[in-house]
């Protein structure tokens, strides 16, 4: 803004907003936003993850990344010292953070006494969809897995993310059993989760995680 450079002006009003809508002081404070001015700049600070923005998924090189996108608005009313005329400036400027690697985490919750393998994948963004589960001997869809007596469930969390749990009985035919010389059966279950992300600008994007 040129008037901020030459100094021949007086700022009479200064407001910020989100998505074209002005916020008052209490709304800004509740969200942790700040608006300030120096001799040369007007500064808006918005915490990453604020409720007025949203996360977007990306999969460069088949790795799960996220960015955060928010669109603040700045509105300034100033008066020049020469003409004494008021001028109003209003601009929207979308901000996108750099890519951040956010690899899915697999947590194993298996309790041997229950005779059921149990793993949880997450946290994931709300529009990530599990399509297939790759086992040692086959690749099954979620529907096929549930039909064979496995339990595949989504768990949505209050912060907008979700996790996916998979439970498979020890007795399932996809579980490899390794019998030792003592005839004690040892079960091995290493699922690979294949996720498909619903990007609007990509046909297919995949990532995988193994436990």
């Amino acid at each position: 803004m040129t008037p901020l450079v030459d100094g021949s002006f007086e700022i009479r009003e200064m407001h910020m907003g989100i998505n074209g809508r002005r916020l008052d002081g209490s709304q800004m404070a509740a969200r942790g936003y700040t608006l300030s001015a120096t001799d040369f700049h007007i500064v808006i600070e918005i915490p990453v993850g604020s409720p007025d923005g949203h996360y977007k998924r990306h999969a460069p090189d088949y790795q799960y990344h996220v960015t955060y996108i928010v669109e603040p608005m700045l509105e300034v009313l100033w008066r020049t010292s020469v003409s004494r005329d008021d001028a109003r400036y209003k601009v929207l400027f979308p901000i996108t953070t750099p890519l951040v690697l956010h690899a899915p985490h697999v947590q194993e919750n298996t309790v041997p006494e229950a005779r059921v393998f149990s793993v949880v994948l997450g946290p994931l963004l709300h529009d990530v969809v599990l399509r297939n589960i790759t086992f040692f001997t086959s690749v099954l869809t979620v529907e096929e897995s549930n039909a064979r007596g496995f339990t595949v469930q989504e768990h949505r969390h209050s912060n907008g993310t979700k996790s996916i749990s998979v439970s498979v009985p020890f007795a399932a035919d996809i579980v490899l059993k390794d019998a030792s010389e003592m005839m004690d059966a040892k079960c091995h279950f290493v699922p690979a989760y294949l996720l498909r992300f619903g990007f609007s600008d990509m046909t297919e994007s995949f990532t995988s995680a193994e436990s």
Side-chain angles (χ1 to χ4, degrees):
M1 295 173 59
T2 301
L4 291 181
V5 176
D6 61 28
S8 59
F9 71 97
E10 173 192 359
I11 293 181
R12 301 179 62 82
E13 294 180 16
M14 190 167 60
H15 307 280
M16 74 159 290
I18 295 291
N19 300 325
R21 300 183 62 179
R22 184 188 295 183
L23 300 176
D24 60 31
S26 61
Q27 292 172 317
M28 291 173 55
R31 292 165 167 80
Y33 302 162
T34 61
L35 174 63
S36 60
T38 69
D39 291 339
F40 301 101
H41 302 92
I42 293 177
V43 181
I44 292 177
E45 293 183 297
I46 300 174
V48 173
S50 68
D52 294 308
H54 66 276
Y55 286 97
K56 180 177 175 62
R57 298 115 337 267
H58 307 267
D61 298 323
Y62 301 100
Q63 297 294 312
Y64 183 48
H65 291 70
V66 297
T67 57
Y68 177 75
I69 301 171
V70 67
E71 187 173 280
M73 177 193 75
L74 173 64
E75 187 176 355
V76 180
L77 177 67
W78 75 81
R79 174 173 294 177
T80 61
S81 59
V82 178
S83 65
R84 307 303 296 174
D85 292 331
D86 289 343
R88 186 175 296 275
Y89 178 86
K90 182 177 181 179
V91 63
L92 306 177
F93 44 100
I95 298 173
T96 301
T97 63
L99 287 171
V100 176
L101 180 63
H102 196 278
H105 173 69
V106 177
Q107 177 179 337
E108 184 176 357
N109 297 326
T110 299
V111 178
E113 292 76 12
R115 307 292 295 172
V116 175
F117 289 104
S118 177
V119 293
V120 177
L121 177 68
L124 304 167
L125 294 183
H126 66 92
D127 56 354
V128 174
V129 179
L130 177 65
R131 299 296 187 189
N132 302 298
I133 305 176
T134 302
F135 299 98
F136 273 126
T137 57
S138 60
V139 178
L140 302 177
T141 65
V142 172
E143 293 76 14
E144 291 170 337
S145 298
N146 284 322
R148 293 180 63 165
F150 312 157
T151 303
V152 183
Q153 295 179 317
E154 285 190 357
H155 307 273
R156 296 188 177 272
H157 309 299
S158 59
N159 63 358
T161 64
K162 69 179 180 181
S163 57
I164 298 172
S165 64
V166 180
S167 298
V168 178
F170 281 10
D173 58 4
I174 54 89
V175 176
L176 298 184
K177 302 176 178 65
D178 179 18
S180 69
E181 293 181 358
M182 299 297 294
M183 301 303 292
D184 291 331
K186 297 181 180 179
C187 301
H188 301 279
F189 174 62
V190 184
Y193 296 85
L194 183 62
L195 303 182
R196 181 173 181 175
F197 299 91
F199 286 89
S200 60
D201 56 345
M202 299 180 65
T203 303
E204 291 182 335
S205 298
F206 297 96
T207 187
S208 64
E210 294 189 356
S211 168

